[in-house]
Structure formats: structure tokens, C-alpha cells
Amino acid sequence: MVEKLATINVPRIREDFPILKRRVNGKPLIYFDNAATSQKPIQVIETLDKYYREYNANIHRGIHKLAEEATIAHEEAREKIAKFINANRTEEIVFVRNATEAINLVAYAWGRANIKQGDKIVLTIMEHHSNIVPWQQLANEKGAKLEFIKIDEEGHLRQDEIHELIDERTKIVCITHASNVLGTINSIKEITRAAHRFGALVLVDAAQSVPHMRVDARDLDCDFMAFSGHKMMGPTGIGVLYGKSKHFENMPPFLCGGEMIKEVHTTGASWKDLPYKFEAGTPNIAGAIGLGVAVDYLRNVSMETVHDHEKQITGYALTRMTEIDGLVVYGPKEVTKRVGVISFNLGDIHAHDLASIMDEEGIAIRSGHHCAQPLMEFLNVPAMSRASFYIYNTNEEVDVFINALEKARKLFNP
Ligand code: C6P
């Protein structure tokens, strides 16, 4: 457990992240690829180590001591996550591998049972591929139609399209809470109000919001919410699907096999109660327990503090980036309207070349289409570079990054 931090103490927080002591290409590592995956605090690393050293066992079936300890720790993690996003009930939290699997679960289990020919699925143009392709597959299979809410010049969803596209034929609206490219924070409550008026459900892709700001599933009133543990200081291979229990209860299972059944006969089978109906096979036990500790860590810092720090560093970086000639930043200008993700291009330098130059300086950024090709097509941009921040990043690191950008600019445009 970390001590409660009244205000953010970044040097103290950095001590919890052993990887931040690394040097890359002879330079101190500057990790600005947090939207891809975050680094892990020692509390999470030690939790995984302790689990495998001291109480590794399969859960929900063993009578022995180790099985009992592992089961308790796994279910405590579920409770922590339910509280963290203010779910109504613990059984509304289903453990999956990642946000991608969570969305696929809904598209297969809810989608196959509820979508018919002629129905509409409304997405937005800023969705990650994980929140597009499962719906394309479903729509192809059922003869349903996909429609995309587009964005204005600043990267905000177009109000007119929200109200035009969500209509009586809409069965589900699938929307990212925060864009992994533009950083835009979408107004989910407005979407849920618009969708529920027509009896449509709302799935929120919260992969880029839950790690960085307070997210209250009950307040948003969304029907489903998907996020990944690895982007919020937890281990890889563990993610969460939140769903209102009334929907989960009426949905058929997604994957079938052990752990999710009540009884099996040669003639058929019956399902366990929620949430186990959706958790077939041996789960990622260590991953779930590790994610619970990541949630403890974030709660101790406080999500308000996390968000405030990221707003501060994003604002500082945006201001300093205006000093670089030929640098174009995408997404909202106002720092309160975005998470700590800044996508950009610098003159004619290809995003991958820029990322390589940054790497030489020990700076990890991402480049490419960021798994958002429809957005890239809409903006008519082949690729972007992206810096994304977390609570352990500092303004001093931003200064090093700005110097490296200026160096790259001079290299390509002497
Ligand atoms: N975005 C990025 O660098 P998974 O891979 O299932 O943990 O997360 C998928 C996903 C879904 N939605 C959004 C908004 C995301 O940003 C991501 C992951 C990473 O932007 C990897 S492409």
C-alpha cells in the first residue's frame, strides 16, 4: 500500500516504478507511451510475485487452503473494481483479457441475440479498431447498418450528428469515452440520454478514461463499459467488462466450458449466476489480483489528482509544442476537454522516423495509425506521432522531448 498523498509528489511516485530508472540508448528513459500501456508500480509487481510464491491455486473449486486464499483475493479484486467505477453490484464486473475482448463479448453475446436485419449500430469516427471491427462483423452477419458520428475541426463529436444518427432504428451506440488519438473526452451522459430515449443501449470504450480520471458507471448510466488493466498500472492479460445486471442476465454466454456452468448433462447444460456465466475456464487469477492492487494505488493517489496532474503536463506540453515550427497538433485546444494524449506531425517527417529519433534520445512515443484507421482517413493523414502521459511524467521530461523535437526538425529541415 502507498501512503495517502494529499497533493501529488511525483518524485515519490517515480520511486514506485523501477523501470523509470532504466537508461535507453545511454539516456534516462522518458516513457511517453502510456496510452499504449502504462508502467507498473512495485506494489503490483510484488503482488504477482507473492501470488506465485505463496498461494498459487485454481479458484472457486478447491477446498484446500491455497485455493481458498486465491479465491478470496480474486473476488476482493472484483469488489475493488466495482467500487472504483461505482458499479451497482459486484456481479456487474466480468473479468476478461482486455478491452478488446470485453467489446467482443457484448458484440457476440448481446449482439447475436438482439440485432436484426435493418437495425442500426451507431459508432463514432474516432473509435479504436477494437470498437469497430466486432460491430462490422455483427452487422455483416445480421444485415444491420453501421453509422459513424463525425467530428468537427477541433476533434469534438458533431452535435447535429449525435441527434440525427441516433434514432428509433438504433439498437446500440458504441462510443469511446476518451480518444486514444485526439485525446477528446466525449460527453457520455449526453449520448446515454439520446440513446435511451429510443430504447438503444450504450457501450462505452473506457480504455483511455478509467486509467486517467474518475469514471462513474452509474452516473454515466451506460449499459456496458470496457477497459484494460494494463493501461492502468495493472498486469497485461486482464481487463474488465462492466454491464448492468439486467442486460447480463438476459444475455447468453460468450465462451462456454468449465467454470461457467451450473450443471452439464449429455442433453444440455445450465449456466452459473453472474458474473461467472461469462468467465469460462481458468481465469487470469494473478492478473485480477494485480489489477486490484493497481486500483488501490490509483485510489490512494486519487483520480482527481491523477487527472489534474495530466491536465497540467498536457497543457505545458501543448504550449511548448507551439514553439516548434511546422508542428501540427490534433484534437481539442482546451486542455480540460482532453486526456493526456497528444498526437502530432512535424513537417514532412514521417511519424516512424520521428519516433526513431526520439528513441535515440531515450524517449518512447508511439507512431502510426494508432489502430484508428477510419479516423486517419477522415483527417486525411497517413500516420501521426503520439506522446501520452501518466502520473510519473514531469515537465522536465517534456523539456527534453521539446529539445529532441527541435533537433529532429533541424535534421530534416536544416
Ligand atoms: N490502444 C494505443 O496505443 P486492448 O488492446 O484490448 O488492451 O485495448 C484496445 C483499445 C480499445 N480502445 C481504445 C480507445 C484504445 O486506446 C485501445 C488500445 C492502444 O492507443 C493500443 S492500439
Side-chain angles (χ1 to χ4, degrees):
M1 275 286 212
V2 287
E3 77 264 27
K4 184 96 183 163
L5 301 167
T7 52
I8 194 149
N9 181 346
V10 177
R12 165 70 193 82
I13 283 174
R14 287 180 69 86
E15 280 173 26
D16 288 334
F17 292 81
I19 208 167
L20 298 179
K21 295 193 175 66
R22 253 202 84 163
R23 294 180 80 82
V24 171
N25 293 322
K27 314 270 169 54
L29 166 68
I30 295 182
Y31 189 76
F32 282 176
D33 196 17
N34 293 287
T37 198
S38 75
Q39 297 304 343
K40 321 300 173 199
I42 192 72
Q43 290 82 348
V44 169
I45 298 168
E46 283 177 353
T47 296
L48 300 181
D49 184 78
K50 186 174 158 73
Y51 168 75
Y52 285 114
R53 281 177 193 275
E54 295 181 18
Y55 61 104
N56 171 47
N58 213 328
I59 54 170
H60 299 145
R61 39 188 146 198
I63 304 294
H64 57 82
K65 186 73 184 157
L66 265 51
E68 187 192 324
E69 286 177 10
T71 303
I72 290 172
H74 185 265
E75 293 310 309
E76 274 176 3
R78 197 191 303 275
E79 279 165 29
K80 288 177 192 177
I81 292 156
K83 279 205 190 92
F84 188 59
I85 61 160
N86 197 25
N88 255 313
R89 305 196 182 108
T90 309
E91 61 262 31
E92 292 176 329
I93 302 298
V94 170
F95 283 124
V96 289
R97 278 187 303 148
N98 46 41
T100 304
E101 186 174 297
I103 297 167
N104 273 275
L105 193 161
V106 179
Y108 279 86
W110 178 87
R112 263 74 185 164
N114 289 281
I115 295 289
K116 301 180 303 301
Q117 183 161 16
D119 285 346
K120 249 172 63 172
I121 298 167
V122 175
L123 313 175
T124 85
I125 200 69
M126 66 172 82
E127 296 311 311
H128 186 279
H129 296 165
S130 295
N131 202 22
I132 299 176
V133 186
W135 304 112
Q136 280 175 337
Q137 292 291 95
L138 176 66
N140 288 343
E141 201 180 300
K142 297 286 183 174
K145 194 173 169 207
L146 295 188
E147 282 186 341
F148 292 83
I149 300 169
K150 292 189 275 319
I151 52 172
D152 63 20
E153 310 77 62
E154 264 209 47
H156 295 294
L157 292 179
R158 278 182 46 181
Q159 288 297 311
D160 54 334
E161 294 210 345
I162 293 177
H163 297 285
E164 225 171 272
L165 297 185
I166 301 174
D167 62 14
E168 61 286 341
R169 280 170 52 215
T170 308
K171 288 292 174 304
I172 189 163
V173 181
C174 308
I175 177 171
T176 191
H177 196 179
S179 161
N180 67 321
V181 178
L182 305 167
T184 316
I185 300 172
N186 290 318
S187 169
I188 299 299
K189 278 168 100 166
E190 187 188 351
I191 301 281
T192 48
R193 271 197 297 270
H196 289 164
R197 206 174 303 137
F198 294 104
L201 305 194
V202 175
L203 176 141
V204 176
D205 174 355
Q208 298 292 352
S209 60
V210 165
H212 302 286
M213 55 198 265
R214 179 168 302 290
V215 175
D216 183 325
R218 242 188 286 179
D219 182 51
L220 294 178
D221 198 24
C222 58
D223 299 281
F224 300 106
M225 182 189 284
F227 54 99
S228 294
H230 69 93
K231 292 187 199 288
M232 51 190 288
M233 305 188 179
T236 49
I238 187 78
V240 173
L241 172 65
Y242 156 84
K244 286 182 181 167
S245 45
K246 64 177 179 187
H247 302 313
F248 275 163
E249 258 147 27
N250 292 323
M251 279 159 59
F254 172 42
L255 301 172
C256 298
E259 285 279 289
M260 50 74 70
I261 46 84
K262 205 174 260 167
E263 283 180 31
V264 182
H265 305 282
T266 52
T267 48
S270 58
W271 321 132
K272 265 196 188 150
D273 293 335
L274 298 178
Y276 309 110
K277 175 169 106 176
F278 295 109
E279 294 180 354
T282 301
N284 183 352
I285 304 163
I289 298 169
L291 179 56
V293 172
V295 164
D296 289 340
Y297 193 96
L298 286 165
R299 281 178 78 106
N300 270 289
V301 177
S302 116
M303 291 315 288
E304 281 73 19
T305 307
V306 171
H307 196 189
D308 283 351
H309 177 67
E310 289 176 24
K311 273 188 282 194
Q312 183 283 321
I313 195 166
T314 305
Y316 181 71
L318 285 171
T319 306
R320 291 236 43 209
M321 285 166 95
T322 60
E323 294 167 16
I324 315 277
D325 275 351
L327 192 138
V328 177
V329 167
Y330 303 91
K333 289 199 175 60
E334 253 183 80
V335 83
T336 53
K337 305 254 166 78
R338 48 152 83 221
V339 287
V341 163
I342 305 180
S343 292
F344 60 96
N345 270 310
L346 178 50
D348 297 333
I349 312 177
H350 193 280
H352 290 327
D353 291 335
L354 200 56
S356 299
I357 298 170
M358 294 295 130
D359 183 53
E360 278 166 28
E361 302 295 321
I363 305 168
I365 61 167
R366 195 178 161 190
S367 59
H369 55 57
H370 307 294
C371 301
Q373 278 184 322
L375 176 63
M376 298 286 152
E377 275 170 17
F378 178 79
L379 297 171
N380 205 14
V381 179
M384 295 177 188
S385 298
R386 184 187 69 187
S388 51
F389 311 118
Y390 218 170
I391 47 168
Y392 35 72
N393 293 125
T394 65
N395 287 2
E396 291 72 32
E397 289 181 317
V398 171
D399 291 337
V400 177
F401 170 61
I402 297 294
N403 291 342
L405 285 176
E406 188 53 30
K407 198 165 150 187
R409 190 192 65 76
K410 286 195 183 127
L411 196 73
F412 281 82
N413 301 302

